[in-house]
């Protein structure tokens, strides 16, 4: 006779709970050797309010722990790449801001964040190529995302637009094609979520763990844990002026919580 579903569910829960209890009693530890399985004294991960659901008309609000680099109103956190001989006072970004996005003004130069960021982050960038299709291959909706010390993540209208694979949208330019072409049609908003793990260096400056990057294009994994030959442990975010009026919006980053020492202590026992 088959057991009812909920009875099987309870049996499964009981079995898993028993395994955790057995591990705790045996003296075994979780990876890192500090905490036993199921240890209620272990600090809790911080609570983060996730972004809601965005749309082509309106982006979702950033998560609660995000550092917002563009909120839809100002490029005050960005500066223009100066040409040789230009004074530092002329570094204000010249791209156009309107309707919650900013748009490349061709031939005014690339822009980059005024701040640099050290460590491992999730970077979120939304972009849209022009709805009016002009040109082909690399001449169609071209820009690029540069996170300091890493290869360019290509921005391109790759919807029904053939080009060399390591130069299409979401490619690590001139290095790795994306796993898939997840491009939306011209004019529609697209997303990059770029997870960057910086190289780990020892006290002598030698690399003990290579840098890695994972890219999601419109929620689809296009690169996963690609190892990179870079020693950079900090960097800014730069966007390329390639002569096409590409738009950007809702740009933020959030630090990866890969250090449990910063977690919240467990709640006090109830009396």
């Amino acid at each position: 006779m088959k057991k009812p579903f909920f009875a099987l569910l309870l049996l499964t829960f009981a079995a898993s709970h028993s395994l955790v209890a057995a591990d705790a009693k045996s003296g075994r530890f979780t990876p890192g050797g500090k905490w036993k399985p199921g240890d209620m004294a272990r600090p809790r991960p911080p609570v983060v309010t996730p972004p809601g659901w965005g749309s082509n008309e309106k982006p979702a609000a950033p998560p609660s722990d995000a550092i917002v680099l563009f909120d839809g109103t100002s490029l005050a956190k960005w500066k223009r790449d100066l040409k040789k001989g230009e004074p530092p006072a002329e570094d204000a970004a010249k791209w156009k801001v309107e309707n919650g996005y900013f748009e490349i003004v061709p031939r005014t130069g690339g822009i980059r964040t005024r701040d640099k960021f050290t460590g491992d982050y999730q970077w979120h960038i939304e972009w849209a190529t022009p709805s009016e299709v002009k040109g082909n291959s690399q001449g169609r909706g071209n820009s690029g995302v540069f996170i300091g010390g890493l290869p360019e993540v290509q921005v391109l209208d790759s919807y029904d637009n053939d080009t060399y694979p390591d130069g299409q949208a979401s490619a690590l330019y001139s290095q790795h094609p994306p796993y898939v072409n997840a491009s939306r049609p011209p004019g529609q908003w697209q997303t990059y979520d770029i997870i960057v793990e910086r190289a780990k260096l020892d006290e002598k400056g030698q690399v003990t763990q290579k840098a890695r990057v994972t890219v999601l294009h419109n929620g689809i994994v296009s690169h996963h844990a690609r190892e990179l030959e870079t020693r950079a442990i900090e960097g800014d975010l730069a966007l390329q002026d390639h002569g096409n009026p590409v738009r950007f919006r809702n740009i933020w980053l959030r630090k990866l919580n890969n250090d449990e020492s910063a977690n919240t202590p467990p709640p006090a026992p109830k009396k």
Side-chain angles (χ1 to χ4, degrees), residues 65-70 76-79 111-125 146-150 194 196-199 230-238 251-256:
D65 63 344
I67 301 168
V68 177
L69 298 177
F70 177 69
K77 294 184 177 181
W78 300 75
K79 61 183 178 180
I111 64 172
R112 63 182 61 247
T113 57
R114 293 186 178 275
D115 291 334
K116 294 183 178 181
F117 302 91
T118 302
D120 304 338
Y121 286 89
Q122 172 190 354
W123 301 75
H124 179 87
I125 301 105
F146 296 83
I147 297 172
L150 276 63
I194 305 170
V196 176
E197 298 172 88
R198 293 288 185 178
T230 174
R231 300 165 60 86
I233 59 173
E234 71 166 12
D236 54 12
L237 172 64
I251 301 176
W252 48 262
L253 72 159
R254 50 180 304 278
K255 196 170 183 64
L256 300 186

Side-chain angles (χ1 to χ4, degrees), residues 3-186:
K3 294 184 183 295
F5 171 76
F6 287 108
L8 288 171
L9 191 63
L10 287 170
L11 286 171
T12 302
F13 173 79
S16 62
H17 184 74
S18 297
L19 287 171
V20 169
D23 277 343
K25 289 179 180 179
S26 72
R28 281 185 279 185
F29 288 85
T30 58
K34 185 175 181 179
W35 302 104
K36 292 182 178 181
D39 194 335
M40 288 297 290
R42 193 170 189 172
R44 278 38 170 183
V47 175
V48 173
T49 303
W53 297 104
S55 67
N56 199 53
E57 290 71 33
K58 185 179 179 181
S64 58
D65 63 344
I67 301 168
V68 177
L69 298 177
F70 177 69
D71 64 358
T73 64
S74 169
L75 283 173
K77 294 184 177 181
W78 300 75
K79 61 183 178 180
R80 182 170 62 94
D81 286 335
L82 294 171
K83 296 177 182 178
K84 187 176 181 179
E86 288 186 298
E90 299 296 322
D91 71 352
K94 294 185 177 181
W95 294 5
K96 178 171 62 176
V97 178
E98 62 182 15
N99 300 321
Y101 62 80
F102 62 86
E103 182 179 298
I104 297 172
V105 176
R107 293 173 293 282
T108 59
I111 64 172
R112 63 182 61 247
T113 57
R114 293 186 178 275
D115 291 334
K116 294 183 178 181
F117 302 91
T118 302
D120 304 338
Y121 286 89
Q122 172 190 354
W123 301 75
H124 179 87
I125 301 105
E126 299 183 17
W127 54 276
T129 60
S131 54
E132 181 183 357
V133 175
K134 292 183 178 180
N136 54 49
S137 187
Q138 294 293 297
R140 186 168 141 183
N142 193 321
S143 182
V145 172
F146 296 83
I147 297 172
L150 276 63
E152 173 189 4
V153 181
Q154 175 75 323
V155 169
L156 194 76
D157 180 358
S158 288
Y159 188 85
D160 195 23
N161 177 35
D162 192 36
T163 190
Y164 45 92
D166 55 350
Q168 72 172 71
S170 192
L172 299 183
Y173 193 78
S174 291
Q175 294 192 23
H176 298 287
Y179 296 157
V180 294
N181 182 347
S183 297
R184 292 192 171 118

Side-chain angles (χ1 to χ4, degrees), residues 180-221:
V180 294
N181 182 347
S183 297
R184 292 192 171 118
Q188 291 191 15
W189 284 100
Q190 311 199 47
T191 62
Y192 281 163
D193 282 282
I194 305 170
I195 294 87
V196 176
E197 298 172 88
R198 293 288 185 178
K200 304 300 183 284
L201 310 178
D202 63 18
E203 63 278 1
K204 295 181 180 179
Q206 300 301 310
V207 175
T208 59
Q209 179 181 303
K210 288 186 176 182
R212 296 184 296 191
V213 64
T214 294
V215 181
L216 284 80
H217 181 193
N218 295 327
I220 302 296
V221 175

